[in-house]
Amino acid sequence: MLNRAVFARPVVQKNANQPRVAQRAYPGGKGELKQVSLRRAGCRMVKKITGTMKLVAAAKARTLENEAKHATPFFTGLFKVVEENIKDELAKKSGKAEEVKRVHLYFGTDKGLCGPINTQLTRALLKEKEIIEGDEMISVGEKGFSAMTANLKVFNPQLTFHQTGRKDTSFTELGVMSDVIMETMEYDVLTIWYNKFINAASYKVSAINVPSFKYMTQGNIRSKCLKDFDRDDGDVNNNDLRDLVEFMTATALNQAYKQTLASEMASRQAAMENATKNADELIRKLNLKFNQIRQNIITTELVEITSGAKVIKARKEDAA
């Protein structure tokens, strides 16, 4: 089979021996004008895409905001009774030699294009590095895991949960997640770090402390937490307490999940709005550059035509 390069060489050599065409002295030209025009068209396409994504994010943000508001009473009503007693016990143990064994759960996102939401959560954990150093960790969300790995030098979570934010995760699936955590990890308190939704423009890092069944049975915590719970057939037993802890862990995960989704969509809306503004600014600069290059080309061509006309006129006069 013949090689095309063999037949291409004489042509290349012939073209190389041809005299070069004189280039114009002015900067830029039609080639640069075409490049600027293509960049401007690309920026306009990016502006359309980011503008559409901003509208989609705004529509989804309202729905997720309502879901987060409806899920909050479902969590706070049960957890309020337990949280006050946990704070008291943790404050008592803070000055003693015995320490509370903690496991930290990092609730990030699975999707990108959502601004600094994962970075903000990572920075908050870096500020608490002295507190969480040496504790076991759990990671939720693929993008959050990447942000933690990039910023935290020592980040080796014992459990990872991905793809939770790419589809609608039900409360049953979050309950399965809580069962896996309680069966796999050994802890006294599970600290869930997540982004709490405030409004469409802001969110903040928050933490939920969820006690384990073993921790709930220690000291006076059991009696304090269960004094408001009554049963018709007698006192609350350990089985009821275990069910309470399992349900409370699932509701805490559901609260963090709903708040994270609402914060993620609000952050994506803000990110797409900023991207649209940046595209507008870049289009404006490219328009200025395009007009300058075109004006330079027109001016240079007019100068060449005028100069040529003067030369021809001068030659005619000399010939006459």
Side-chain angles (χ1 to χ4, degrees):
M1 197 170 178
L2 297 178
N3 190 354
R4 293 185 179 180
V6 176
F7 297 95
R9 286 172 187 168
V11 178
V12 174
Q13 187 67 25
K14 183 178 179 181
N15 293 336
N17 294 331
Q18 290 179 355
R20 295 183 179 179
V21 179
Q23 299 293 330
R24 290 176 175 173
Y26 61 84
K30 293 184 178 180
E32 186 177 358
L33 192 68
K34 184 177 181 181
Q35 291 180 359
V36 174
S37 179
L38 291 174
R39 288 187 61 192
R40 186 174 61 175
C43 290
R44 286 172 177 170
M45 183 62 66
V46 170
K47 179 184 174 182
K48 290 180 181 179
I49 294 173
T50 54
T52 304
M53 292 182 67
K54 183 185 73 173
L55 296 177
V56 173
K60 290 184 177 180
R62 286 190 288 269
T63 303
L64 294 174
E65 179 183 355
N66 292 332
E67 291 182 1
K69 288 181 179 179
H70 294 157
T72 299
F74 184 64
F75 161 74
T76 55
L78 173 64
F79 194 71
K80 185 177 180 181
V81 180
V82 180
E83 186 179 21
E84 296 177 355
N85 297 291
I86 292 178
K87 288 182 178 180
D88 296 338
E89 291 296 326
L90 292 177
K92 292 178 182 178
K93 290 189 176 183
S94 60
K96 298 182 181 180
E98 57 178 334
E99 296 182 356
V100 178
K101 186 175 181 181
R102 291 179 179 269
V103 171
H104 298 271
L105 190 147
Y106 175 92
F107 221 112
T109 64
D110 274 296
K111 297 180 181 179
L113 299 176
C114 53
I117 182 171
N118 292 307
T119 306
Q120 177 177 320
L121 189 57
T122 304
R123 288 176 180 174
L125 287 181
L126 289 175
K127 292 180 181 179
E128 306 291 338
K129 187 176 180 181
E130 297 180 356
I131 299 176
I132 68 175
E133 191 171 3
D135 294 339
E136 295 179 340
M137 298 196 71
I138 302 172
S139 174
V140 179
E142 186 176 359
K143 297 297 181 180
F145 176 82
S146 300
M148 282 293 291
T149 306
N151 292 278
L152 197 61
K153 294 182 179 178
V154 182
F155 181 64
N156 186 22
Q158 281 66 33
L159 281 178
T160 56
F161 298 94
H162 292 170
Q163 308 300 322
T164 55
R166 291 188 177 274
K167 59 184 181 64
D168 294 333
T169 303
S170 63
F171 182 79
T172 304
E173 292 172 323
L174 293 172
V176 173
M177 184 189 300
S178 67
D179 291 340
V180 173
I181 293 173
M182 288 186 289
E183 292 175 2
T184 307
M185 310 296 292
E186 184 178 352
Y187 60 90
D188 294 329
V189 176
L190 174 66
T191 303
I192 303 175
W193 299 87
Y194 68 101
N195 286 288
K196 184 178 181 180
F197 179 83
I198 299 177
N199 52 50
S202 62
Y203 47 88
K204 67 176 182 178
V205 177
S206 300
I208 303 174
N209 293 315
V210 183
S212 64
F213 170 73
K214 179 181 177 182
Y215 188 74
M216 286 282 287
T217 57
Q218 295 177 358
N220 299 324
I221 300 180
R222 182 180 187 277
S223 59
K224 289 181 179 180
C225 293
L226 299 181
K227 64 182 180 180
D228 295 329
F229 294 91
D230 295 325
R231 284 188 54 166
D232 296 335
D233 56 348
D235 296 334
V236 179
N237 53 36
N238 286 338
N239 291 330
D240 298 327
L241 181 61
R242 186 183 297 276
D243 294 339
L244 175 65
V245 172
E246 292 177 355
F247 186 73
M248 183 170 56
T249 306
T251 54
L253 290 175
N254 184 66
Q255 170 73 1
Y257 172 71
K258 295 296 185 182
Q259 294 289 332
T260 299
L261 284 185
S263 302
E264 175 189 353
M265 201 57 61
S267 181
R268 181 174 290 112
Q269 179 183 355
M272 292 301 103
E273 184 176 359
N274 292 332
T276 304
K277 290 180 180 178
N278 292 337
D280 267 333
E281 181 66 19
L282 189 56
I283 290 171
R284 186 185 67 81
K285 293 180 179 179
L286 289 174
N287 282 333
L288 290 175
K289 189 174 182 179
F290 181 86
N291 293 332
Q292 288 174 357
I293 296 173
R294 187 179 62 177
Q295 190 61 43
N296 288 336
I297 293 174
I298 294 172
T299 303
T300 304
E301 290 179 350
L302 289 175
V303 170
E304 289 176 352
I305 294 172
T306 306
S307 301
K310 288 184 178 180
V311 170
I312 293 173
K313 184 178 180 181
R315 287 182 180 178
K316 287 181 177 181
E317 292 178 353
D318 293 341

